[in-house]
Amino acid sequence: GIKNDPFEIKFASMKNETDVISAFSATRPFLVQGVYFNIIFTAVLFRRFDEVSEVAEKYLSFGQQKSRLQDLFLVFFQGLAAFHMFRHQGRDTKWLRIGESSMRQLQLWAGHSSWNFDNKF
């Protein structure tokens, strides 16, 4: 039953997000990236671009495959957030570099699948 489920036992002892992240970082980084991606997606929906930028850095700390759907969306979302931050937070060139990097990646992908990526840049 549920009492023998190791995940149930582990989650019962966790008190916050940091505990969850640290529990799975080494053994199941894709799960942590999934959590981070959901946070990013929600932040984009509510135009919380500072949160997108912050969590994207955490997401990328686990590496980026650029083959999973969430990795593709991350490039797009991170570009949106970077250009927003550049315009609204003092024109820091860090944000411009991130945004331009996202644009280059989307242009590269558009060369392989224009029907899917042309509209994103």
Side-chain angles (χ1 to χ4, degrees), residues 46-104:
F46 292 101
R47 299 182 53 87
R48 296 189 311 247
F49 293 114
D50 53 337
E51 186 176 353
V52 172
S53 301
E54 176 186 329
V55 178
E57 288 181 21
K58 292 177 183 179
Y59 180 100
L60 293 171
S61 72
F62 289 93
Q64 187 176 18
Q65 304 300 319
K66 293 187 181 173
S67 60
R68 298 174 298 179
L69 186 58
Q70 69 189 36
D71 295 321
L72 303 177
F73 275 110
L74 179 70
V75 170
F76 180 64
F77 293 156
Q78 191 175 28
L80 288 176
F83 286 126
H84 175 84
M85 299 292 277
F86 178 75
R87 279 192 305 273
H88 298 286
Q89 295 204 354
R91 301 214 179 267
D92 184 349
T93 58
K94 167 191 171 185
W95 301 119
L96 186 59
R97 283 192 310 276
I98 292 170
E100 288 174 342
S101 174
S102 293
M103 290 284 292
R104 282 191 300 277

XYZ file of all heavy atoms in Angstrom, residues 46-104:
504
model
N 1.553 34.926 -16.223
C 1.212 36.074 -15.385
C 2.212 37.227 -15.521
O 2.218 38.137 -14.701
C 1.071 35.632 -13.924
C -0.117 34.745 -13.706
C 0.030 33.374 -13.601
C -1.389 35.281 -13.647
C -1.073 32.553 -13.425
C -2.496 34.474 -13.468
C -2.340 33.098 -13.363
N 3.042 37.161 -16.559
C 4.001 38.230 -16.893
C 4.928 38.570 -15.729
O 5.261 39.721 -15.501
C 3.261 39.465 -17.395
C 2.445 39.193 -18.651
C 1.751 40.424 -19.186
N 2.636 41.542 -19.404
C 3.341 41.770 -20.513
N 3.275 40.924 -21.502
N 4.105 42.832 -20.611
N 5.364 37.549 -15.008
C 6.340 37.742 -13.933
C 7.718 37.379 -14.486
O 8.273 36.321 -14.201
C 5.967 36.875 -12.721
C 4.640 37.263 -12.100
C 4.367 36.565 -10.779
N 4.580 35.135 -10.836
C 3.624 34.203 -10.723
N 2.372 34.583 -10.530
N 3.903 32.933 -10.772
N 8.238 38.269 -15.320
C 9.457 37.971 -16.064
C 10.702 37.905 -15.187
O 11.650 37.205 -15.524
C 9.633 38.963 -17.213
C 8.580 38.819 -18.267
C 7.657 39.822 -18.490
C 8.488 37.661 -19.019
C 6.678 39.689 -19.456
C 7.511 37.507 -19.990
C 6.600 38.524 -20.205
N 10.698 38.601 -14.073
C 11.838 38.473 -13.167
C 11.907 37.048 -12.614
O 12.988 36.471 -12.476
C 11.768 39.503 -12.042
C 10.448 39.480 -11.285
O 9.425 39.019 -11.837
O 10.439 39.931 -10.127
N 10.753 36.464 -12.339
C 10.709 35.085 -11.855
C 11.127 34.107 -12.959
O 11.836 33.133 -12.705
C 9.305 34.740 -11.361
C 9.196 33.384 -10.721
C 7.807 33.106 -10.152
O 6.946 34.014 -10.138
O 7.595 31.967 -9.718
N 10.723 34.378 -14.197
C 11.131 33.532 -15.327
C 12.649 33.492 -15.412
O 13.255 32.419 -15.519
C 10.543 34.054 -16.661
C 11.136 33.296 -17.847
C 9.028 33.956 -16.666
N 13.270 34.658 -15.338
C 14.726 34.734 -15.453
C 15.420 34.001 -14.317
O 16.381 33.259 -14.531
C 15.176 36.194 -15.462
O 14.591 36.865 -16.534
N 14.932 34.197 -13.119
C 15.530 33.563 -11.945
C 15.425 32.034 -12.009
O 16.406 31.319 -11.795
C 14.839 34.071 -10.681
C 15.314 33.425 -9.411
C 14.482 33.857 -8.212
O 13.977 34.997 -8.200
O 14.330 33.033 -7.292
N 14.244 31.538 -12.335
C 14.033 30.091 -12.351
C 14.688 29.458 -13.583
O 15.162 28.321 -13.521
C 12.529 29.759 -12.259
C 12.285 28.256 -12.321
C 11.947 30.328 -10.972
N 14.768 30.190 -14.690
C 15.446 29.656 -15.880
C 16.906 29.360 -15.581
O 17.453 28.358 -16.050
C 15.325 30.632 -17.044
N 17.547 30.209 -14.799
C 18.939 29.949 -14.416
C 19.046 28.666 -13.605
O 19.976 27.882 -13.797
C 19.509 31.132 -13.632
C 19.770 32.342 -14.498
C 20.349 33.508 -13.720
O 20.919 33.286 -12.631
O 20.237 34.641 -14.219
N 18.103 28.427 -12.710
C 18.096 27.183 -11.928
C 17.879 25.987 -12.852
O 18.541 24.958 -12.726
C 17.004 27.222 -10.864
C 17.242 28.232 -9.771
C 16.079 28.247 -8.790
C 16.240 29.293 -7.723
N 15.091 29.305 -6.794
N 16.946 26.132 -13.783
C 16.650 25.067 -14.749
C 17.912 24.714 -15.526
O 18.267 23.545 -15.667
C 15.547 25.542 -15.693
C 15.128 24.547 -16.749
C 13.980 23.791 -16.592
C 15.863 24.380 -17.915
C 13.572 22.890 -17.558
C 15.474 23.480 -18.891
C 14.328 22.735 -18.706
O 13.939 21.840 -19.672
N 18.586 25.735 -16.028
C 19.769 25.515 -16.860
C 20.956 24.991 -16.070
O 21.893 24.442 -16.650
C 20.143 26.807 -17.586
C 19.130 27.252 -18.637
C 19.461 28.646 -19.149
C 19.066 26.251 -19.777
N 20.939 25.139 -14.750
C 22.039 24.616 -13.942
C 22.114 23.088 -14.019
O 23.132 22.496 -13.696
C 21.910 25.066 -12.485
O 20.843 24.393 -11.844
N 21.042 22.454 -14.501
C 21.028 20.999 -14.679
C 21.396 20.607 -16.106
O 21.368 19.442 -16.456
C 19.645 20.433 -14.346
C 19.335 20.477 -12.887
C 18.656 21.549 -12.346
C 19.738 19.453 -12.049
C 18.376 21.599 -10.988
C 19.463 19.496 -10.696
C 18.783 20.573 -10.164
N 21.715 21.581 -16.935
C 22.033 21.316 -18.336
C 20.790 21.474 -19.194
O 19.671 21.451 -18.703
N 21.015 21.657 -20.477
C 19.898 21.828 -21.399
C 20.095 20.894 -22.573
O 21.137 20.912 -23.223
C 19.808 23.275 -21.876
C 18.569 23.543 -22.698
C 18.452 25.001 -23.080
O 19.418 25.737 -23.030
N 17.282 25.417 -23.485
N 19.109 20.067 -22.845
C 19.206 19.077 -23.903
C 18.871 19.663 -25.277
O 19.410 19.246 -26.271
C 18.263 17.911 -23.609
C 18.500 17.254 -22.269
C 19.881 16.685 -22.131
O 20.399 16.093 -23.070
N 20.495 16.876 -20.983
N 17.945 20.597 -25.314
C 17.420 21.182 -26.549
C 16.783 20.124 -27.448
O 16.792 20.241 -28.658
C 18.506 21.955 -27.306
C 18.963 23.185 -26.573
C 19.907 24.007 -27.400
C 20.339 25.213 -26.603
N 21.345 25.972 -27.206
N 16.283 19.074 -26.833
C 15.580 18.064 -27.611
C 14.198 17.775 -27.033
O 13.352 17.234 -27.714
C 16.395 16.771 -27.668
O 16.614 16.270 -26.368
N 13.996 18.129 -25.781
C 12.679 17.944 -25.173
C 11.836 19.184 -25.434
O 12.359 20.284 -25.560
C 12.805 17.721 -23.667
C 13.581 16.471 -23.310
C 13.802 16.379 -21.843
N 14.595 17.540 -21.422
C 14.947 17.773 -20.163
N 14.564 16.974 -19.208
N 15.671 18.818 -19.857
N 10.545 18.998 -25.479
C 9.641 20.114 -25.756
C 9.831 21.239 -24.748
O 9.861 22.416 -25.110
C 8.187 19.625 -25.759
C 7.145 20.649 -26.166
C 7.424 21.182 -27.560
C 5.760 20.033 -26.100
N 9.996 20.907 -23.478
C 10.159 21.958 -22.473
C 11.445 22.740 -22.685
O 11.510 23.928 -22.392
C 10.067 21.392 -21.063
C 11.228 20.515 -20.647
C 10.981 19.821 -19.328
O 9.861 19.436 -19.027
N 12.012 19.647 -18.552
N 12.496 22.113 -23.220
C 13.735 22.835 -23.500
C 13.537 23.849 -24.627
O 14.087 24.952 -24.601
C 14.862 21.865 -23.865
C 15.257 20.959 -22.716
O 15.296 21.438 -21.566
O 15.517 19.775 -22.966
N 12.731 23.462 -25.616
C 12.446 24.376 -26.726
C 11.640 25.578 -26.234
O 11.937 26.726 -26.576
C 11.681 23.650 -27.836
C 12.342 22.403 -28.415
C 11.441 21.762 -29.452
C 13.695 22.716 -28.995
N 10.630 25.307 -25.436
C 9.823 26.394 -24.886
C 10.649 27.299 -23.979
O 10.446 28.506 -23.939
C 8.616 25.860 -24.113
C 7.439 25.560 -24.971
C 7.043 24.253 -25.187
C 6.717 26.582 -25.565
C 5.951 23.968 -25.979
C 5.622 26.309 -26.361
C 5.238 24.994 -26.574
N 11.586 26.705 -23.248
C 12.414 27.504 -22.349
C 13.184 28.567 -23.126
O 13.273 29.712 -22.686
C 13.385 26.633 -21.556
C 14.291 27.437 -20.624
C 13.498 28.014 -19.455
C 15.444 26.608 -20.129
N 13.731 28.199 -24.278
C 14.458 29.174 -25.092
C 13.553 30.340 -25.451
O 13.937 31.503 -25.328
C 15.035 28.501 -26.363
C 15.579 29.528 -27.338
C 16.117 27.491 -25.991
N 12.338 30.038 -25.870
C 11.378 31.082 -26.235
C 11.005 31.939 -25.025
O 11.066 33.175 -25.076
C 10.129 30.429 -26.843
C 9.070 31.410 -27.252
C 9.303 32.341 -28.247
C 7.826 31.385 -26.647
C 8.320 33.248 -28.622
C 6.842 32.282 -27.015
C 7.086 33.212 -28.010
N 10.647 31.297 -23.922
C 10.250 32.029 -22.716
C 11.399 32.859 -22.154
O 11.203 33.983 -21.713
C 9.751 31.077 -21.636
C 8.463 30.374 -21.966
C 8.149 29.174 -21.355
C 7.554 30.895 -22.869
C 6.961 28.512 -21.630
C 6.369 30.258 -23.164
C 6.070 29.056 -22.541
N 12.586 32.290 -22.173
C 13.733 33.026 -21.636
C 14.034 34.245 -22.507
O 14.383 35.309 -21.997
C 14.951 32.111 -21.543
C 16.086 32.721 -20.755
C 17.236 31.758 -20.578
O 17.461 30.880 -21.399
N 17.968 31.929 -19.507
N 13.870 34.121 -23.808
C 14.055 35.262 -24.697
C 13.042 36.364 -24.428
O 13.395 37.549 -24.346
N 11.779 35.979 -24.261
C 10.740 36.971 -23.932
C 11.085 37.704 -22.637
O 11.018 38.933 -22.562
C 9.383 36.289 -23.758
C 8.671 35.771 -24.989
C 7.390 35.055 -24.576
C 8.362 36.896 -25.947
N 11.449 36.921 -21.631
C 11.767 37.510 -20.327
C 12.985 38.418 -20.418
O 13.007 39.505 -19.836
C 12.005 36.408 -19.293
N 13.999 37.986 -21.158
C 15.232 38.769 -21.261
C 14.982 40.120 -21.927
O 15.471 41.152 -21.447
C 16.292 37.982 -22.030
N 14.221 40.133 -23.016
C 13.946 41.412 -23.683
C 13.075 42.309 -22.806
O 13.260 43.534 -22.787
C 13.313 41.190 -25.061
C 14.292 40.700 -26.086
C 14.049 39.554 -26.824
C 15.479 41.375 -26.319
C 14.952 39.107 -27.765
C 16.395 40.941 -27.261
C 16.120 39.792 -27.989
N 12.144 41.719 -22.077
C 11.335 42.506 -21.142
C 12.231 43.129 -20.062
O 12.112 44.322 -19.758
C 10.259 41.634 -20.500
C 9.488 42.346 -19.444
N 8.411 43.154 -19.738
C 9.649 42.409 -18.099
C 7.936 43.669 -18.613
N 8.674 43.230 -17.604
N 13.101 42.314 -19.483
C 13.999 42.806 -18.426
C 14.940 43.879 -18.977
O 15.221 44.869 -18.303
C 14.806 41.649 -17.831
C 13.960 40.566 -17.190
S 13.111 41.085 -15.706
C 14.418 40.863 -14.535
N 15.410 43.697 -20.201
C 16.296 44.689 -20.819
C 15.588 46.039 -20.942
O 16.150 47.080 -20.616
C 16.762 44.196 -22.198
C 17.639 45.177 -22.922
C 18.958 45.361 -22.537
C 17.154 45.915 -23.986
C 19.780 46.268 -23.201
C 17.957 46.818 -24.655
C 19.277 46.997 -24.265
N 14.349 46.014 -21.404
C 13.590 47.259 -21.591
C 13.203 47.929 -20.284
O 13.165 49.146 -20.180
C 12.319 46.987 -22.401
C 12.525 46.911 -23.876
C 11.209 46.942 -24.638
N 10.273 45.914 -24.214
C 10.229 44.677 -24.694
N 11.061 44.316 -25.624
N 9.341 43.813 -24.250
N 12.894 47.132 -19.265
C 12.296 47.685 -18.050
C 13.207 47.719 -16.831
O 12.786 48.192 -15.779
C 11.017 46.922 -17.702
C 9.970 47.034 -18.772
N 9.232 48.182 -18.974
C 9.567 46.158 -19.716
C 8.414 47.996 -19.989
N 8.597 46.773 -20.455
N 14.437 47.239 -16.967
C 15.312 47.224 -15.795
C 16.704 47.751 -16.116
O 17.710 47.101 -15.843
C 15.388 45.826 -15.193
C 14.060 45.382 -14.663
C 14.190 44.333 -13.582
O 15.248 43.845 -13.282
N 13.070 44.010 -12.984
N 16.758 48.913 -16.694
C 18.017 49.620 -16.838
C 18.887 49.237 -18.018
O 20.057 49.592 -18.057
N 18.355 48.498 -18.971
C 19.100 48.154 -20.181
C 20.427 47.451 -19.904
O 21.435 47.711 -20.540
C 19.303 49.387 -21.055
C 18.002 50.037 -21.476
C 18.119 50.617 -22.869
N 16.909 51.220 -23.337
C 15.992 50.577 -24.067
N 16.132 49.327 -24.353
N 14.920 51.197 -24.487
N 20.404 46.550 -18.954
C 21.579 45.738 -18.631
C 21.892 44.838 -19.825
O 21.034 44.097 -20.303
C 21.289 44.902 -17.383
C 22.486 44.101 -16.901
O 23.495 44.000 -17.630
O 22.406 43.562 -15.788
N 23.127 44.864 -20.312
C 23.492 44.092 -21.505
C 23.414 42.581 -21.277
O 23.347 41.827 -22.234
C 24.900 44.467 -21.999
O 25.843 44.236 -20.948
C 24.953 45.911 -22.450
N 23.401 42.146 -20.030
C 23.214 40.717 -19.728
C 21.915 40.234 -20.363
O 21.871 39.177 -20.994
C 23.177 40.504 -18.216
C 22.684 39.135 -17.795
C 22.417 39.076 -16.301
C 21.719 37.779 -15.934
N 21.338 37.726 -14.537
N 20.846 41.024 -20.198
C 19.541 40.622 -20.725
C 19.537 40.648 -22.245
O 18.920 39.787 -22.882
C 18.438 41.506 -20.160
C 18.366 41.451 -18.681
C 18.529 42.485 -17.800
C 18.141 40.296 -17.865
N 18.421 42.046 -16.509
C 18.181 40.699 -16.518
C 17.907 38.951 -18.144
C 17.990 39.822 -15.463
C 17.724 38.073 -17.094
C 17.764 38.511 -15.775
N 20.218 41.617 -22.829
C 20.286 41.699 -24.285
C 21.000 40.468 -24.850
O 20.556 39.885 -25.840
C 20.998 42.988 -24.712
C 21.022 43.269 -26.202
C 19.608 43.376 -26.774
C 21.810 44.540 -26.473
N 22.101 40.053 -24.214
C 22.833 38.864 -24.670
C 21.953 37.611 -24.594
O 21.949 36.794 -25.521
C 24.103 38.651 -23.843
C 25.242 39.574 -24.196
C 26.564 39.146 -23.563
N 26.486 38.881 -22.130
C 26.574 39.812 -21.175
N 26.765 41.072 -21.516
N 26.506 39.483 -19.902
N 21.231 37.463 -23.512
C 20.356 36.290 -23.357
C 19.257 36.308 -24.427
O 18.965 35.292 -25.060
C 19.746 36.236 -21.940
C 20.842 35.941 -20.912
C 18.629 35.198 -21.855
C 20.401 36.097 -19.462
N 18.646 37.459 -24.633
C 17.592 37.587 -25.638
C 18.098 37.311 -27.046
O 17.456 36.596 -27.822
N 19.257 37.849 -27.373
C 19.825 37.626 -28.702
C 20.214 36.164 -28.899
O 20.058 35.621 -29.995
C 21.021 38.551 -28.926
C 20.607 39.989 -29.129
C 21.781 40.955 -29.221
O 22.911 40.591 -28.793
O 21.564 42.074 -29.714
N 20.704 35.530 -27.847
C 21.031 34.104 -27.920
C 19.774 33.283 -28.207
O 19.801 32.353 -29.027
C 21.685 33.657 -26.615
O 21.879 32.267 -26.614
N 18.678 33.629 -27.562
C 17.411 32.940 -27.818
C 16.962 33.151 -29.253
O 16.507 32.205 -29.912
C 16.322 33.441 -26.861
O 16.621 33.074 -25.540
N 17.104 34.368 -29.749
C 16.729 34.666 -31.142
C 17.555 33.833 -32.127
O 17.007 33.287 -33.088
C 16.908 36.154 -31.439
C 15.924 37.055 -30.753
S 14.307 37.020 -31.516
C 14.658 37.793 -33.058
N 18.853 33.745 -31.883
C 19.715 32.951 -32.777
C 19.284 31.482 -32.775
O 19.240 30.847 -33.837
C 21.184 33.078 -32.376
C 21.832 34.373 -32.824
C 23.348 34.350 -32.643
N 23.737 34.158 -31.254
C 23.814 35.140 -30.345
N 23.536 36.385 -30.702
N 24.179 34.892 -29.110
